[in-house]
Amino acid sequence: MSSRARSAVTGALLGAPLVLVPAASPSASASAMSTAVPAAAVPASAVVSTLTVDRGGPARTFAFTADRDGEAVISFTAAAPGVSWARTGAESAVVAISVDGRHVTDLVVPSSAPTARSLGLGAVKRGEHEVTLRFARGSAPAARRVTLAGPAVRIPEADQVALRHAPVLVGRTGWPFGGDPYQNATTDLPLIAWHDSRPATTPGHRIIEYSIVWSNEDGGTDSPALMARWGRTTDIEWVYRVEVDASGRRVAPGVYQAPQHLTFTFRGRYEGDHPVLQTCTSNNNLCDVISPDAPLRFLLDASRTKPADRAREVVMDREPWTYRLMAQEMTREGKIESPSDPATKAVGDQRAYLFVEIAKSTGAATGLGSAPGVALGVRLKRDPGTLYRSDHGEPSWSIERDGPAATTVELPTGTTIADIASVEAVRLPVGLGDNGAPATVTAVNRGFFLRTGYLPGPSAITWSGSATLTRQSPTAVLWRAG
């Protein structure tokens, strides 16, 4: 075949799922990775539609054919009967995933409900490869089985550079002070990843920044402040940033978010172009020195990005199951007030909160003092005299950052969109004095409640316009029920 014809065929296949071929027999390397049980190959006559991985059972293998070199991604719908992130002793099942005998990533399955997932498999060469899945240590006692429906391997065309430099995240172990080396299977689980890209100073170069959503943070900002200032109790952090040239090659060492939210140059180990980092603090900051024999590792699919005009929480909106995990962890760890009371600052049942995203900007100061933040308020039709505020009357819990920003407003249990009379913005200084700067709100991008099962309901509150809040006129109605 001519090079031109070969290029045409390859171009037609780029981005399509790779061919899955049932393995005729387990490889020696895959067999060696199983837990004292030989690996069981999918029968040659079977269609790889669902794989079941059992505790104490054989590892499962399947083959795939890569039509070219590149970064591979595996996707499937995962479920673990008897597992619930809300229950102690039943938090999750862990599946170790290997490619050609090399441990690439772990899959933590925190639910019995089928959930679509996508993970990186790292770089593969053109040709035949074998994926091995085995039930791993770190699984909760209640976990007995994991089912993976519709496993498919692909090499995305458009996102190769982003996938190529995505970080490998090693699980938190508590090292060097001891602790549970499998703690991310029960708390602060890395859920999803994405990347943002922007032009670098050098023409033709760009900066790629990777971020991760964890189910919670055991340290750092307390939960009520998270709900008020960030609109969720997950933890979202940028983790790694790298400059690449026009061909996608790294031009200098990347940087990462180190303890105390400092930015350090990465000096650690690479796997290909993947930097290996470890969650090493209770608030999910990173280290480039990896603890010995850390068992868990996560190569999340970071091929997706987010709109520039939306808050980071939009990545959770696209993956509704992340809200369920967020709420379940809060409940299991005893961080939810019972009964819920919007008059207190404690976090109540998260189904009682209106989840809102706004866009705002702050103008120039006209005097001395602190800059203003913006809080959101909600009035209910049955009680229009009460303004339920996102900041619970705590100025430091207002939204200080400009651009798109998420927050929540706690309301009486059982409140629905139909009960809301208005959504209002409130300007308030966050410290001593008031520097006089105006704050302008230009959008409410979404407003929803969590429904039964802690999954987001449809967004029913949106608004666009311009409401400028000043020291003299510090409030404005953004949305009013029709």
Side-chain angles (χ1 to χ4, degrees), residues 97-345:
I97 301 177
S98 302
V99 176
D100 300 332
R102 180 174 62 88
H103 184 199
V104 174
T105 186
D106 289 297
L107 167 68
V108 175
V109 184
S111 175
S112 61
T115 304
R117 302 290 297 275
S118 183
L119 303 173
L121 291 181
V124 297
K125 295 291 186 180
R126 180 179 178 180
E128 299 292 321
H129 300 277
E130 187 174 74
V131 174
T132 301
L133 307 104
R134 61 180 178 85
F135 203 97
R137 292 182 61 186
S139 299
R144 311 305 303 173
R145 169 178 294 178
V146 172
T147 60
L148 303 176
V153 180
R154 61 193 176 91
I155 299 180
E157 176 184 6
D159 306 307
Q160 279 296 298
V161 174
L163 287 168
R164 173 177 156 189
H165 296 277
V168 173
L169 186 67
V170 175
R172 193 171 66 200
T173 64
W175 180 83
F177 305 108
D180 179 8
Y182 295 95
Q183 60 187 271
N184 283 139
T186 60
T187 187
D188 295 2
L189 173 62
L191 301 178
I192 52 178
W194 82 94
H195 76 277
D196 294 301
S197 181
R198 63 178 185 271
T201 302
T202 302
H205 290 199
R206 60 185 174 124
I207 305 294
I208 305 176
E209 181 177 281
Y210 297 88
S211 299
I212 289 178
V213 180
W214 283 265
S215 56
N216 190 223
E217 57 179 332
D218 288 339
T221 306
D222 63 18
S223 298
L226 280 173
M227 289 292 280
R229 295 175 58 199
W230 301 99
R232 32 80 182 174
T233 54
T234 56
D235 186 28
I236 302 180
E237 305 284 356
W238 78 269
V239 294
Y240 177 70
R241 189 184 302 134
V242 64
E243 181 177 345
V244 299
D245 63 17
S247 67
R249 291 177 298 186
R250 184 176 68 249
V251 299
V255 297
Y256 66 98
Q257 185 170 184
Q260 302 297 315
H261 300 287
L262 298 173
T263 300
F264 283 0
T265 299
F266 180 77
R267 305 294 186 192
R269 176 173 59 88
Y270 289 93
E271 295 181 1
D273 283 316
H274 298 282
V276 181
L277 289 159
Q278 182 169 22
T279 306
C280 62
T281 70
S282 61
N283 63 332
N284 302 320
N285 288 160
L286 288 304
C287 293
D288 62 359
V289 176
I290 311 304
S291 63
D293 302 319
L296 293 178
R297 51 184 281 142
F298 304 92
L299 182 53
L300 302 175
D301 177 6
S303 62
R304 299 187 70 180
T305 187
K306 71 170 187 64
D309 61 348
R310 294 296 304 275
R312 296 181 300 172
E313 289 71 23
V314 73
V315 302
M316 292 181 59
D317 299 353
R318 295 187 309 209
E319 303 278 356
W321 62 276
T322 61
Y323 284 94
R324 181 180 63 220
L325 268 289
M326 173 187 80
Q328 289 178 334
E329 184 162 333
M330 291 287 290
T331 300
R332 174 167 50 84
E333 294 185 352
K335 297 177 180 178
I336 297 297
E337 177 185 47
S338 182
S340 298
D341 184 356
T344 71
K345 295 180 179 180

Side-chain angles (χ1 to χ4, degrees), residues 25-34 39 101 130:
S25 61
S27 68
S29 58
S31 179
M33 289 193 64
S34 64
E130 187 174 74

Side-chain angles (χ1 to χ4, degrees), residues 389-400:
R389 285 173 44 165
S390 61
D391 67 344
H392 281 279
E394 174 59 54
S396 65
W397 289 2
S398 65
I399 300 171
E400 299 179 60

Side-chain angles (χ1 to χ4, degrees), residues 45-72:
S45 60
V47 175
V48 186
S49 57
T50 300
L51 290 174
T52 300
V53 186
D54 292 302
R55 182 190 290 270
R60 306 291 287 174
T61 68
F62 67 85
F64 69 89
T65 301
D67 71 300
R68 63 190 176 95
D69 297 353
E71 291 284 330

